[in-house]
Amino acid sequence: MKIICIGRNYAAHIDELKNERPEEPVVFIKPDSSVLPKQQDFYIPEFSDNVHYEVEVLVKIKKVGKHISKEFAPSYYDEVGLGIDFTARDLQSKLKEKGLPWEKAKGFDGAAVIGEWLPKTEFKDVNDLNFKLLKNGEVVQDGNTSFMLWKIDEIIAYVSTFFMLKKGDIIFTGTPAGVGKISPNDYLTGSLEDKELFTLKIK
C-alpha cells in the first residue's frame, strides 16, 4: 500500500502559505510506515517544534490501474474517508529553502492519520462534500471538495500516468485553508458531511 498526496489543491491554502499556484498537481508520497495505528495517540516528534494539522478527504483505490482516463476514474474507488497529513512545517521550510525533498517533514512515523471509510454511494456528489476539523471543540478547518483545483477523478487520472495504482492505495486529495500548529493535550476531531470519522489526542 502506498499513500499518494496532493499538495496545493485549494487556492486559499496556497495563499495562506504564500506558495506559488501550480500549473499541475503537486504530488508526493508517504511511506506505509507513516500511518498512525488506529486508536493510538499522536506524539509530536522530537525533531520538530512546529507540527501542523492538515485535514484532507481521502480516496481508497479498489483495483489496479495505469494510465486511467478521467471518465473511467470513478470505477477505481468505492470508498471515501477523512484523514490528517501531519507536517513538520519548520523542517519542511528548511528543506524547501535548500531545494530538497519534503519526505522527512511529511513521511515520518505517524504523519498519516486515516479515519473510517464510507461508501461513496452515501453521497450525491463526491465533488461537493463538506468536511471539518475541530481542535479542542473549535472548528479550525472547514472545507468543501468543490473548491479543489483538481477534482478526485482528475487526480486519479493524473497520478496514474506516473504511478501504477494498486488495490488499497490511498490518495490524500489536499487540504483547505486553516492549517495550524498542534500542541500537547490538543484533541482533534474530523467529520465528513457531519459524520465523525476520527478523533485524536495529541501528546
Side-chain angles (χ1 to χ4, degrees):
M1 181 266 276
K2 57 185 175 289
I3 301 169
I4 300 167
C5 304
I6 305 300
R8 304 180 189 177
N9 201 21
Y10 288 83
H13 176 56
I14 293 171
D15 293 341
E16 76 175 342
L17 294 187
K18 297 179 173 60
N19 285 324
E20 181 179 345
R21 184 164 175 157
E23 295 182 0
E24 56 188 35
V26 174
V27 180
F28 60 95
I29 303 287
K30 286 178 180 269
D32 58 2
S33 55
S34 70
V35 176
L36 185 71
K38 297 284 188 184
Q39 310 303 322
Q40 182 172 306
D41 298 330
F42 176 81
Y43 287 80
I44 298 173
E46 295 179 358
F47 54 77
S48 178
D49 294 320
N50 192 23
V51 174
H52 280 201
Y53 53 78
E54 298 187 16
V55 72
E56 310 198 14
V57 170
L58 313 182
V59 175
K60 185 192 291 184
I61 300 299
K62 70 171 188 176
K63 62 181 180 180
V64 174
K66 177 74 174 171
H67 294 295
I68 302 165
S69 66
K70 177 184 170 183
E71 63 191 287
F72 294 121
S75 69
Y76 283 82
Y77 66 100
D78 285 335
E79 296 176 288
V80 295
L82 199 68
I84 297 178
D85 164 23
F86 278 123
T87 304
R89 193 71 72 199
D90 46 359
L91 179 55
Q92 185 190 37
S93 296
K94 292 177 183 177
L95 294 168
K96 287 170 66 176
E97 286 173 4
K98 297 178 180 179
L100 297 174
W102 303 347
E103 273 76 6
K104 289 189 291 186
K106 289 278 195 177
F108 58 88
D109 294 350
V113 175
I114 298 172
E116 301 300 320
W117 294 97
L118 296 172
K120 70 178 182 182
T121 52
E122 285 195 16
F123 309 107
K124 291 182 180 179
D125 185 359
V126 295
N127 294 315
D128 186 18
L129 296 176
N130 294 298
F131 60 104
K132 294 180 181 180
L133 181 71
L134 283 73
K135 184 174 79 166
N136 304 324
E138 294 187 8
V139 176
V140 288
Q141 286 188 274
D142 189 353
N144 185 288
T145 54
S146 66
F147 292 108
M148 287 182 177
L149 300 182
W150 290 278
K151 302 300 190 286
I152 290 173
D153 295 343
E154 294 173 309
I155 291 170
I156 290 174
Y158 181 82
V159 167
S160 70
T161 65
F162 300 94
F163 310 109
M164 179 181 289
L165 296 178
K166 295 185 176 182
K167 184 177 180 179
D169 286 350
I170 294 172
I171 299 177
F172 278 60
T173 60
T175 193
V179 302
K181 182 179 180 179
I182 54 171
S183 302
N185 299 316
D186 280 344
Y187 189 73
L188 305 179
T189 305
S191 62
L192 179 65
E193 289 292 342
D194 296 324
K195 299 178 191 294
E196 185 177 290
L197 298 188
F198 66 78
T199 59
L200 185 63
K201 185 71 178 288
I202 307 299
K203 298 285 190 174

